[in-house]
Amino acid sequence: MNELVHGILSPQFFYSILRVTTPILFAALAALLSDVAGSTNIGIEGMMLMSAFWGVMVSAWTGSAWIGLLAGVTSSVLLSLALAYFYLNLKTDLVLAGIAFNIFSSGATVFLLYLFTGDKGSSSSLKSYVLPKIDIPLIKDIPVVGDILSGHHVLTYIAFISVFVVQYFIYKTPLGLRLRAVGENPDAAQSVGISVKKIRYISMLLSGLMAGFGGAFLSMGYVSWFARDMTNGRGFIGLAAQALGGHSAFGSMWGSLLFGLAEAASYTLQAIRIPSEFTNMLPFIFTIIALAIYARSKLLQIKKIKEEEKKA
Amino acid sequence: MKKLLVVLLAVFVVMSFAQLKVALLINGTLGDKSFFDSAARGIKMAEKDLGIKATIIEMGYDQSAWRPTLEDIADQDYDVIIVGTWQMQEILEDVAPMYPEKKFIIFDTTVDYSKGDLDNVYSILYKQNEGSFLAGALAAMITTSGMEKTNPQPIIGFLGGMDIPVINDFLVGYIEGAKYINPNIKVIISYAGAFNDPAKGKELVLAQYRQGADISFNVAGETGIGLLEAAKEMDKWAIGVDSDQALIVEEKDPDMAWHIVTSMMKNVDLSIYRALKLTIEGKCPYGKAEALGIAEKGIGLADNKYYEKIVPKKFRDKIKEIEKLILEGKIKVDTAFGMPREKLDELRNSVRP
Amino acid sequence: MKAIEMIDIVKVYPNGIVANKGVNFEVEEGEIHALVGENGAGKTTLMKILFGIEQPTSGEIRIFEKEVHIHSPHDAIAKGIGMVHQHFMLVPSFTVAENIVLGMEPKKGFSIDMDEAVKIVEEASKRYGLEVPPTERVLDLPVGIKQRIEILKALVRGAKILILDEPTAVLTPQETEELFVALKNLAKKGMTIIFISHKLKEVKEISDRVTVLRDGKTMGTFLTKDVSEEDISRLMVGRDVELVIERPEPKPGKIVLEVKNLNYFREDGVQVLKNVSFALREGEILGVAGVEGNGQRELVEILTGLRFGAIGSVRLLGEEILGYDAYTLRRKKIAHIPEDRVEKGAALKASIAENLISDRYYKEPFSKRLLLFPRKVIEYAKKAIKDFSIKTDSPLTPVGMLSGGNMQKVVVAREFTAGAKLLIADQPTRGIDVGSTEFVRKELIKVRDEGVAVLLVSADLQEILQLSDRIIVMYKGEIVGYFDKNEGLTEEELGYYMLGVKRHDENKIKEAFAL
């Protein structure tokens, strides 16, 4: 019990929540940006993987982590535009195309990895670069709070800043308004001369951008290599986090933090011999509980009516 | 007539053994700094010492090419054909019975002999439990040694890919080895539930280090990359697995290599050399799987410059002493294969922090 | 000056259907011009061409006496043409102002200048006499206001010509009246208005001139005051049409359906049915009036086993049936003409014959054990096609190829021959032509006289008043009005109840149940 308290209440635990949340949050924002325009990007997982791969490769070739990041994000954006092309021009089913892209990315990254490095598991032999960590002046000197908030990877800060930017973008800018209009009623958008196709391309592109950051974080911050299928479902967890949060960037953030908390807790709990079968379930138990709370409020309402009916 | 045939055959057999023709088929490419390079090394050694004639064929990563290549090679005049890893298992099970006159060796996995007609296949397994025993003993010595990067608590870590028998075979040896040194040792055991999630591996090991572990053993495939990252980030120790992981990472990240005290290696090179030697001597047990341990030099700790520089001599001597005891049968290491769940749980609970 | 001239417009669709066979259409600036015709007469196609959604195969278009080519709605808007669609093109979660400025948002820095947007709306609203609440969400607004928003949307984009596609179909009489005042006002300001409608009474009331289309051709353009409703309908259909349907006195029998204290919460937690209670006897038609979206759809879906989770009691001939699925309910003799024939009423890719037996294919004579007898099915279908005068060349034609009216006849044919005790008819004549409407209404009276209990849900008040023996009015999920006979009842009076302005007291409403 002592260890539990020690494990959960340490600043490092809260620090790790933010780190674990980062890729999920990027994925959730990617999901959000595509979902508001009504074309949910199922290919986030694959885009993250692509970005993780190219980030490592290009940073190794150029010796610059920033150029690597640019390359990673670019690859993800290109993939998202390709998905948009399949969906909007070739009229394929978005979900099927998204899944196909995920499978493609999984295979293509391994193939390219082998082609460039002769390795197929990980980029172990490649000297790639990672993006820096940032200490926030002033905050870093505050005890506890400084330990939790300062010294994170630069992309972790970008993720949380993106929450505000995305929220502002969706709800305050003309383009955001059009995105939402297309998502809610494409006919309405069309009727005032907005090109639904163009807006969906833009939304998919922005989604790819966010997915790209998420992928680059995995291979250029979290760890310093690319490993086959290293996203391991984070794209899908991001989709779930967004679904929990609805059409709000803050909602997506809380959803992501919920998953991040559950995941970080599962790591710490495992270290003190809570069975891994149980701890690996934790993030999903959290989801179910969140949904149950939501459903419960509705049930209570119905119960109230029933009681009133009995009285009558 | 019949007699003549027997004589001719005998002559043929003797001639062919005079210079054994061997093919090593690599289902991938050389340069992996792991099993494949190691296998090639074994072949080179055999070429030099045993006078065999060998060919190494890189089949690449296109799985569809593996089977036809194996058949092509079997059609040619090689005597022994060597393949490796579980990915080749099924292919070999299909192909070997079609060439009963050829000999096949497969390493790091075993064919399913119950399928029959596999009398010409020799499977090499590695006693990872024995090697892990050494790793556990070393970890237990280091954690309370007062060396840099350590704390006084007798806590060590273990990162497994999944809670499955082959991974737990490492675990059983590791725990027993650690307890051999220090009966009060505590082991933090984490399973990632995946072999390809380095980020998760890193988080799990960071949590281990936070709980007081100062050295952790990586048995998690690509997930284990995260362990190495965590060791570097928190400035703690790591033990690699399968091949010499310090050598793999030193070029990419020298600092990281200096955090890997050693690796529990499967000596593919030595095991292949041994198998070929036995084949020439006519003593190689084809039609069977053999698990090679310390006695057969099938496994061992990587003895590289990092090991020598980082690990004090008295510890290295102690490891040698343990190796000897295992060799002499004075230490018997349990295996997770066939171990009842209760017994495994009991073992795990006995080292619970 | 002529606002619009469409000369010899021909439109052949890629599938070979000729929708316009040389239509001529001319509208003067500042007039209200009605465009009437049966479904499939080519009105929609003509307006799609004018609004740039479709391109004409041949013909010439002049706007304000200048020849133009309209390539897209965007193009049409730029040329001063605005369209108010039958289904509103609004984003429900947006505010009124957001909907109106969408696509032409005023900016302040990177943000939308919301204050400026509200100002634009308020100014336009004042100038054209169309009052709207700029900062409220469209979702919560009544249909009439939504329509005003649509009109404003066109006007702020500089529309000089307004096309209104069946604008009154979803309005209460009061809302219709307000719309007409606004339209006349706009015309006075020089706006040109094209008014598409089925309701000849309204055409007479609002328009200056009327153009009649039939079969893709112009039957003529008339000064509205010179022609009667009968004249117009004769031109539309090509024969005399009975606009008033005879309804003999009902002879109600025993109670078939009893609904008591029915409550229902939608998935989003909103209560859409509140203590709904009524009863229905055999041999009578109970009309359910109300503006759409006041719980009628949910009521029908619950009664027909398409929606679950309601609380209360529903009895069919004394047996509790709430929560049964559609299959079971059909076996218990409930027939259902759904509101949406395309989505729910028919399988579009299946043939007429297949659709006709889709609720009885497992019964004799159509099948026995595992075998289906196609010949019996086709025989039966041929008879139904004749009895219900479905216009088709073969019973094997996919239903999706039929016009709206004929598609509805297929649905009606199936449901009327199901041998039902209870027939639930949800908007049975929506969007079908005058001839088919007349037919369906007559059939409803006929089954009633054969002893079937009919629940008629309709947004068309004329239909409710013509056919119903008793009427309940729904407003926000509640029954707010009950009329045990409808003599002397007017559309206006019903409208007050539908808008929630008037309300019967508890005891009067309880009579709907206590027969």
Side-chain angles (χ1 to χ4, degrees):
Chain A
M1 202 57 214
N2 199 12
E3 293 129 359
L4 182 73
V5 173
H6 179 73
I8 298 287
L9 288 184
S10 67
Q12 289 98 323
F13 174 70
F14 290 98
Y15 178 91
S16 77
I17 292 176
L18 297 184
R19 180 177 48 204
V20 170
T21 300
T22 303
I24 299 172
L25 180 54
F26 275 124
L29 292 175
L32 176 65
L33 283 164
S34 64
D35 199 50
V36 286
S39 46
T40 309
N41 181 2
I42 303 288
I44 292 170
E45 179 90 2
M47 291 167 198
M48 289 173 76
L49 200 58
M50 256 320 163
S51 171
F53 173 76
W54 284 110
V56 163
M57 296 311 292
V58 173
S59 81
W61 289 334
T62 61
S64 160
W66 294 104
I67 297 177
L69 174 68
L70 185 71
V73 169
T74 305
S75 71
S76 169
V77 166
L78 287 178
L79 202 61
S80 72
L81 290 178
L83 180 59
Y85 181 76
F86 271 79
Y87 169 52
L88 297 169
N89 290 57
L90 304 181
K91 307 285 177 206
T92 53
D93 183 278
L94 182 58
V95 173
L96 291 183
I99 292 171
F101 271 56
N102 288 336
I103 297 169
F104 162 78
S105 298
S106 170
T109 48
V110 174
F111 175 72
L112 291 170
L113 182 67
Y114 154 65
L115 213 62
F116 293 133
T117 71
D119 235 323
K120 65 169 182 176
S122 67
S123 64
S124 56
S125 57
L126 215 58
K127 186 165 174 53
S128 60
Y129 294 82
V130 295
L131 296 162
K133 290 185 169 185
I134 293 179
D135 282 323
I136 310 176
L138 294 177
I139 288 182
K140 83 174 192 296
D141 299 323
I142 307 172
V144 185
V145 175
D147 290 338
I148 295 171
L149 295 182
S150 183
H152 278 286
H153 194 271
V154 59
L155 285 179
T156 299
Y157 294 117
I158 291 183
F160 283 91
I161 292 167
S162 296
V163 171
F164 294 89
V165 175
V166 168
Q167 182 74 9
Y168 174 82
F169 168 73
I170 293 179
Y171 288 97
K172 295 288 176 213
T173 66
L175 189 54
L177 187 79
R178 294 175 191 191
L179 234 60
R180 284 186 291 136
V182 166
E184 210 176 315
N185 187 354
D187 290 337
Q190 190 109 53
S191 77
V192 293
I194 293 171
S195 163
V196 172
K197 203 189 237 183
K198 191 175 120 196
I199 293 292
R200 290 213 161 127
Y201 261 106
I202 292 172
S203 109
M204 207 51 112
L205 181 150
L206 293 171
S207 175
L209 185 75
M210 284 295 148
F213 279 122
F217 175 75
L218 280 178
S219 70
M220 306 182 68
Y222 220 141
V223 295
S224 58
W225 344 30
F226 173 81
R228 134 189 87 90
D229 292 334
M230 72 186 301
T231 44
N232 202 31
R234 286 180 177 80
F236 291 109
I237 292 177
L239 280 166
Q242 187 268 319
L244 277 180
H247 276 182
S248 148
F250 296 116
S252 294
M253 181 182 76
W254 294 121
S256 303
L257 279 168
L258 183 72
F259 280 107
L261 168 71
E263 225 180 301
S266 80
Y267 299 148
T268 303
L269 291 179
Q270 220 188 102
I272 55 173
R273 272 312 294 147
I274 309 280
S276 65
E277 291 83 353
F278 175 75
T279 58
N280 285 337
M281 271 176 1
L282 262 185
F284 308 100
I285 292 176
F286 269 57
T287 315
I288 293 168
I289 291 173
L291 290 174
I293 291 170
Y294 172 76
R296 172 125 187 100
S297 58
K298 203 182 127 194
L299 275 175
L300 279 174
Q301 208 176 0
I302 293 175
K303 206 173 143 199
K304 221 170 96 188
I305 294 294
K306 267 190 175 165
E307 274 163 10
E308 273 169 18
E309 198 185 326
K310 261 185 207 155
K311 273 184 225 155
Chain B
M1 189 61 199
K2 212 174 177 184
K3 247 179 198 167
L4 185 67
L5 211 65
V6 172
V7 172
L8 274 175
L9 201 66
V11 169
F12 177 74
V13 168
V14 169
M15 271 176 64
S16 63
F17 274 169
Q19 200 188 30
L20 199 66
K21 278 197 79 177
V22 178
L24 169 64
L25 296 193
I26 286 171
N27 51 321
T29 54
L30 290 177
D32 68 340
K33 296 184 184 162
S34 183
F35 285 4
F36 297 145
D37 283 355
S38 183
R41 220 161 31 237
I43 292 288
K44 292 270 154 58
M45 277 157 58
E47 239 173 350
K48 217 170 105 199
D49 297 356
L50 307 174
I52 61 158
K53 192 170 182 303
T55 312
I56 297 172
I57 294 141
E58 296 173 80
M59 297 192 289
Y61 290 101
D62 176 10
Q63 304 206 358
S64 62
W66 295 349
R67 190 192 166 109
T69 311
L70 179 59
E71 287 176 6
D72 283 350
I73 295 299
D75 278 331
Q76 294 170 29
D77 63 343
Y78 293 102
D79 305 303
V80 180
I81 296 157
I82 304 169
V83 295
T85 79
W86 58 271
Q87 288 173 304
M88 290 301 292
Q89 179 196 329
E90 270 188 42
I91 296 175
L92 187 62
E93 282 168 1
D94 289 347
V95 173
M98 303 194 304
Y99 301 93
E101 77 286 359
K102 301 278 158 124
K103 307 252 182 250
F104 295 91
I105 297 171
I106 185 164
F107 60 87
D108 200 34
T109 187
T110 174
V111 292
D112 184 356
Y113 287 100
S114 67
K115 287 185 178 163
D117 290 341
L118 292 165
D119 291 345
N120 55 339
V121 180
Y122 169 55
S123 305
I124 303 173
L125 294 168
Y126 302 93
K127 288 183 182 165
Q128 54 254 15
N129 56 336
E130 288 187 0
S132 301
F133 189 94
L134 300 177
L138 181 65
M141 287 189 282
I142 288 177
T143 187
T144 50
S145 65
M147 280 164 58
E148 53 163 343
K149 311 193 207 310
T150 64
N151 57 39
Q153 290 165 280
I155 302 176
I156 60 176
F158 177 91
L159 176 67
M162 285 183 190
D163 193 353
I164 52 175
V166 61
I167 296 296
N168 285 330
D169 204 33
F170 287 88
L171 177 65
V172 167
Y174 187 67
I175 294 176
E176 290 185 351
K179 283 171 86 171
Y180 175 80
I181 295 294
N182 180 354
N184 296 320
I185 196 79
K186 301 294 171 213
V187 185
I188 300 176
I189 303 159
S190 307
Y191 295 99
F195 285 101
N196 54 5
D197 195 340
K200 193 167 183 183
K202 183 175 178 182
E203 284 297 338
L204 284 168
V205 176
L206 287 175
Q208 289 183 354
Y209 290 147
R210 284 206 298 272
Q211 303 288 319
D214 37 33
I215 182 163
S216 192
F217 184 27
N218 164 22
V219 195
E222 312 297 350
T223 299
I225 291 173
L227 187 155
L228 308 181
E229 296 271 355
K232 182 186 158 194
E233 186 171 315
M234 297 270 284
D235 198 22
K236 300 283 182 187
W237 296 117
I239 300 175
V241 79
D242 282 353
S243 12
D244 192 336
Q245 289 191 303
L247 292 185
I248 294 178
V249 303
E250 68 179 353
E251 199 182 313
K252 170 189 166 62
D253 193 342
D255 187 29
M256 189 181 285
W258 281 108
H259 289 82
I260 304 169
V261 291
T262 183
S263 296
M264 199 292 279
M265 296 205 300
K266 293 177 177 172
N267 293 326
V268 175
D269 48 355
L270 298 178
S271 67
I272 286 177
Y273 177 82
R274 175 178 171 275
L276 291 173
K277 187 157 180 272
L278 290 175
T279 302
I280 290 168
E281 290 164 2
K283 287 192 273 187
C284 188
Y286 286 93
K288 263 177 37 185
E290 228 181 351
L292 308 185
I294 288 169
E296 300 86 3
K297 293 196 165 33
I299 46 97
L301 296 185
D303 192 358
N304 54 28
K305 67 175 176 195
Y306 302 101
Y307 185 59
E308 273 174 26
K309 285 244 175 76
I310 297 168
V311 182
K313 181 151 188 320
K314 57 177 186 201
F315 291 172
R316 282 183 274 139
D317 289 344
K318 182 74 183 172
I319 291 295
K320 281 202 185 113
E321 187 191 317
I322 296 171
E323 270 183 25
K324 210 167 137 233
L325 290 171
I326 294 175
L327 203 67
E328 290 164 356
K330 288 185 182 147
I331 294 175
K332 279 201 76 75
V333 186
D334 287 324
T335 172
F337 293 110
M339 181 184 270
R341 188 81 203 176
E342 305 80 61
K343 202 168 163 231
L344 181 64
D345 284 339
E346 195 187 307
L347 186 67
R348 287 198 283 213
N349 285 330
S350 71
V351 291
R352 191 171 157 166
Chain C
M1 180 143 113
K2 290 190 172 67
I4 303 167
E5 291 155 277
M6 297 179 83
I7 302 153
D8 287 331
I9 300 291
V10 174
K11 174 66 187 178
V12 185
Y13 280 101
N15 61 8
I17 291 173
V18 186
N20 288 163
K21 306 170 182 167
V23 174
N24 286 295
F25 183 55
E26 222 181 75
V27 182
E28 286 287 338
E29 188 179 2
E31 74 166 333
I32 300 181
H33 194 117
L35 180 64
V36 299
E38 288 202 283
N39 271 54
K43 304 183 303 266
T44 311
T45 304
L46 191 68
M47 288 303 111
K48 277 184 176 169
I49 290 170
L50 184 57
F51 197 56
I53 299 169
E54 300 281 355
Q55 302 304 314
T57 313
S58 69
E60 195 185 320
I61 303 172
R62 291 160 175 268
I63 302 293
F64 297 115
E65 302 183 347
K66 261 203 335 239
E67 190 177 347
V68 292
H69 294 276
I70 304 167
H71 302 288
S72 68
H74 200 56
D75 221 12
I77 292 167
K79 291 185 166 64
I81 304 170
M83 182 150 180
V84 176
H85 298 266
Q86 195 175 355
H87 301 283
F88 295 142
M89 301 287 184
L90 296 172
V91 185
S93 76
F94 284 15
T95 64
V96 173
E98 281 173 331
N99 264 292
I100 289 175
V101 301
L102 182 64
M104 43 171 279
E105 306 86 355
K107 272 198 223 176
K108 195 164 67 185
F110 291 110
S111 309
I112 302 171
D113 189 345
M114 236 33 244
D115 297 336
E116 180 63 27
V118 169
K119 226 164 85 194
I120 292 174
V121 173
E122 276 170 349
E123 268 170 25
S125 158
K126 216 158 108 201
R127 175 149 23 114
Y128 299 111
L130 293 161
E131 210 175 302
V132 290
T135 53
E136 269 180 51
R137 290 205 307 170
V138 163
L139 187 69
D140 310 320
L141 297 174
V143 189
I145 309 261
K146 286 183 186 164
Q147 195 164 50
R148 276 184 227 160
I149 300 168
E150 283 283 20
I151 296 172
L152 278 175
K153 251 171 76 180
L155 294 177
V156 297
R157 283 172 175 72
K160 297 270 173 288
I161 300 166
L162 263 184
I163 308 167
L164 295 142
D165 188 6
E166 303 213 24
T168 62
V170 288
L171 298 184
T172 61
Q174 285 77 11
E175 286 172 329
T176 304
E177 210 43 59
E178 284 174 33
L179 173 70
F180 284 179
V181 171
L183 290 183
K184 281 175 181 159
N185 198 13
L186 287 174
K188 231 178 270 165
K189 291 198 163 83
M191 201 67 63
T192 308
I193 294 165
I194 302 172
F195 182 87
I196 303 170
S197 183
H198 273 130
K199 296 181 185 169
L200 301 183
K201 206 176 114 204
E202 290 174 358
V203 169
K204 280 288 286 176
E205 188 182 336
I206 184 83
S207 68
D208 302 315
R209 290 199 299 161
V210 55
T211 295
V212 183
L213 292 188
R214 185 167 92 214
D215 239 358
K217 279 181 263 186
T218 316
M219 302 308 292
T221 300
F222 312 92
L223 281 174
T224 308
K225 59 179 174 12
D226 295 348
V227 284
S228 70
E229 284 182 49
E230 284 73 20
D231 296 336
I232 300 173
S233 66
R234 199 178 310 115
L235 281 166
M236 282 164 65
V237 184
R239 62 176 166 85
D240 284 323
V241 178
E242 282 179 56
L243 291 178
V244 178
I245 288 167
E246 209 167 303
R247 181 164 56 94
E249 270 303 299
K251 298 181 195 70
K254 62 175 189 287
I255 289 178
V256 175
L257 179 72
E258 288 170 289
V259 174
K260 192 167 187 200
N261 288 334
L262 198 64
N263 282 285
Y264 178 70
F265 291 84
R266 211 163 48 196
E267 292 77 1
D268 58 8
V270 175
Q271 187 173 8
V272 287
L273 289 180
K274 285 181 207 154
N275 288 319
V276 169
S277 300
F278 63 88
L280 174 57
R281 290 167 295 192
E282 53 187 28
E284 67 171 356
I285 295 179
L286 176 66
V288 181
V291 177
E292 266 180 81
N294 278 285
Q296 302 97 311
R297 170 181 301 171
E298 286 79 6
L299 175 66
V300 167
E301 287 181 352
I302 289 163
L303 293 182
T304 52
L306 297 173
R307 194 179 271 271
F308 302 94
I311 311 153
S313 158
V314 177
R315 285 166 183 275
L316 181 72
L317 295 166
E319 185 194 357
E320 180 64 48
I321 56 160
L322 184 61
Y324 286 9
D325 62 10
Y327 179 77
T328 314
L329 291 177
R330 280 193 176 272
R331 306 239 291 194
K332 292 192 180 296
K333 305 287 182 203
I334 295 182
H336 174 209
I337 300 170
E339 168 188 25
D340 188 338
R341 56 184 166 263
V342 175
E343 283 288 324
K344 293 203 175 111
L348 300 191
K349 284 179 184 164
S351 69
I352 297 173
E354 285 164 336
N355 270 285
L356 284 170
I357 61 150
S358 57
D359 66 333
R360 61 198 74 155
Y361 61 89
Y362 54 86
K363 286 186 205 158
E364 286 193 54
F366 308 115
S367 62
K368 210 171 193 177
R369 295 197 187 88
L370 294 172
L371 294 176
L372 192 69
F373 302 116
R375 202 176 304 158
K376 289 265 163 51
V377 173
I378 288 173
E379 252 170 52
Y380 172 80
K382 278 184 176 155
K383 186 172 175 299
I385 287 168
K386 201 167 133 248
D387 289 351
F388 288 84
S389 35
I390 300 165
K391 273 186 220 141
T392 177
D393 44 5
S394 157
L396 296 177
T397 307
V399 163
M401 305 274 282
L402 301 178
S403 73
N406 279 306
M407 200 188 286
Q408 186 72 349
K409 280 185 191 167
V410 173
V411 177
V412 164
R414 181 182 65 220
E415 300 304 329
F416 280 173
T417 54
K421 292 262 189 295
L422 171 64
L423 172 65
I424 298 174
D426 193 1
Q427 319 285 3
T429 62
R430 161 172 301 175
I432 63 176
D433 54 68
V434 184
S436 303
T437 299
E438 179 195 7
F439 177 84
V440 170
R441 287 181 183 168
K442 279 184 173 166
E443 284 294 318
L444 279 171
I445 299 287
K446 202 170 111 196
V447 294
R448 179 200 77 162
D449 291 343
E450 286 162 4
V452 175
V454 179
L455 186 70
L456 171 68
V457 181
S458 181
D460 184 340
L461 292 187
Q462 205 189 347
E463 178 165 278
I464 291 275
L465 288 172
Q466 269 190 15
L467 300 181
S468 309
D469 301 312
R470 298 188 296 133
I471 295 170
I472 54 178
V473 185
M474 291 190 69
Y475 175 70
K476 291 199 170 165
E478 281 180 284
I479 297 179
V480 295
Y482 172 64
F483 303 91
D484 45 10
K485 41 183 181 300
N486 82 44
E487 272 142 60
L489 190 60
T490 61
E491 290 188 29
E492 282 68 29
E493 180 70 6
L494 266 185
Y496 287 124
Y497 289 87
M498 287 163 65
L499 286 173
V501 176
K502 281 194 182 177
R503 192 186 173 114
H504 277 134
D505 64 33
E506 291 286 316
N507 290 332
K508 178 74 182 164
I509 289 166
K510 273 186 186 149
E511 283 173 25
F513 179 76
L515 289 174

